[in-house]
Amino acid sequence: MNAFLAELGKKLAERWVSLLVVPGALFVALAAAGSALGHRHALDRRLLGRAVEELATHYDRRPVSAVLLFVAVLAAAAVAGLLARALGTVVERAWLISGPAWLTGRLVRRRQGRWTAAAGRAAAAEQGAADRAALAEERNAIALTRPARATWIGDRLRGVGVRVHAQYGLDFPFAWPRLWTLLPEACRNDLIAAREALASAATQSGWGLLYLCLGLVWWPAAAAGAALMLLGWRRGREAAANLADLTEATVDLYAADLALLLGVDLPSGHVTPAVGRQLSERFRKGA
C-alpha cells in the first residue's frame, strides 16, 4: 500500500508540474519581463538584460531571500495555472452555450439560415449529380443536424443525441450512463482521452485570455494570447468532432448488447426506433 501511495503521489506531482507549474512559470517570467519593459521598450533586449543582472546581483549574497523568491515564483506559477484552468472552464461553457435566447438567439438563427440554405441546395441537386456530395459536405460543415446552438462545437456535441434518437429511438442522456457500464476498458479510455483533449483545448484558450490581460502592460503578450486562443479554438473543434464520432460509434457498436442484457429481443439483430423508445421509457422511469 505504501509503495502504491508513493507511486500515486509521484504521478500526481508530475501531472501537477506539467499542467500547472511549467506553463505558469513561463507566464510569471514573461509577466516580470513585460512589467520591466512596458510598451515603449517591449523588445529591448539590452534593457531586459540589465534588469536580469540587477536582480541576480541583488540576490547574489542573500541565499535565504533567493530561496523565498523561488518559492514565491512557484506559488505564483501554480496560481496562474489554476486561473488558466478556471478560465478554460469558462471558455468551454462558452463553446457549449445553449442560452439564454437574448444572448444566443441571433447567432443560432444565423446558423440555422445558413444550414437551411445549404440543405435546400443539397436536396435540390439532381440524383447522381457530381456535386451532390459536395453540397452535402457544405451542409454538414455547418452542422450535421439543424443548428440549435450558437457555436459549431455546441451543435457538434448536441448532434450526437439528436442523431442517436433519430436512428435508434434512444433518449441519449438516459441511455448513455447505462451503456457506459458495458464498455470495455479500451473504449472507455478512448472516450476519456477525447474528453480530456477538449478540456485541454479550452485550457489553452484560458492561457490565451491570461496573456491578453498581460498585453495591457506589454503588447507582445497580447499577440501571444490571440494566437493561443485561436489554436485552442481549432484544437477544440477537432477534439469535439473526435469525441462526437467516438460517442456515436460506441452507441452503434454496443446499443444492441445493452438491449439484450435488459432482456429485450432484437428480431432484426439491431436496435430499431421502436425498441429504442421502449428502452428509453424504462430508463426514464416516468421522468
Side-chain angles (χ1 to χ4, degrees), residues 150-233:
T151 67
W152 183 94
I153 293 176
D155 271 321
R156 187 67 183 88
L157 294 178
R158 172 187 172 274
V160 174
V162 176
R163 287 160 58 85
V164 166
H165 187 270
Q167 182 70 25
Y168 301 112
L170 287 170
D171 194 335
F172 182 77
F174 289 89
W176 181 251
R178 282 83 178 172
L179 190 60
W180 179 263
T181 62
L182 301 180
L183 302 182
E185 184 177 0
C187 183
R188 291 187 187 181
N189 289 339
D190 288 341
L191 289 164
I192 291 172
R195 180 63 183 89
E196 290 179 346
L198 179 61
S200 175
T203 299
Q204 184 173 25
S205 292
W207 279 112
L209 288 175
L210 278 184
Y211 278 95
L212 285 177
C213 294
L214 180 57
L216 295 176
V217 297
W218 189 50
W219 65 260
L228 284 172
M229 291 200 67
L230 178 60
L231 289 174
W233 171 71

Side-chain angles (χ1 to χ4, degrees), residues 12-111:
L12 290 176
E14 291 175 353
R15 187 174 179 84
W16 179 76
V17 169
S18 63
L19 294 180
L20 298 180
V21 177
V22 173
L26 176 61
F27 178 80
V28 170
L30 292 177
S35 300
L37 296 175
H39 290 304
R40 289 188 60 186
H41 306 283
L43 302 178
D44 192 332
R45 291 180 294 176
R46 292 183 179 179
L47 179 59
L48 179 61
R50 287 196 299 269
V52 172
E53 289 178 359
E54 291 175 0
L55 182 65
T57 302
H58 180 76
Y59 288 98
D60 186 26
R61 297 185 178 182
R62 300 178 181 180
V64 176
S65 298
V67 170
L68 291 177
L69 177 63
F70 179 72
V71 172
V73 169
L74 287 181
V79 170
L82 291 173
L83 183 57
R85 290 176 67 87
L87 289 174
T89 300
V90 175
V91 169
E92 185 176 312
R93 290 182 178 179
W95 288 345
L96 304 177
I97 189 170
S98 60
W102 60 266
L103 179 62
T104 64
R106 185 174 181 179
L107 290 172
V108 172
R109 289 191 295 271
R110 182 171 177 270
R111 286 177 50 75

Side-chain angles (χ1 to χ4, degrees), residues 175-184 188 253-266 269-271 275 278-279 282-283:
W176 181 251
R178 282 83 178 172
L179 190 60
W180 179 263
T181 62
L182 301 180
L183 302 182
R188 291 187 187 181
L253 294 173
Y254 295 101
D257 292 342
L258 177 62
L260 292 174
L261 186 63
L262 293 172
V264 178
D265 293 331
L266 300 176
H270 59 85
V271 176
V275 172
Q278 178 185 348
L279 290 171
R282 292 178 61 178
F283 299 153

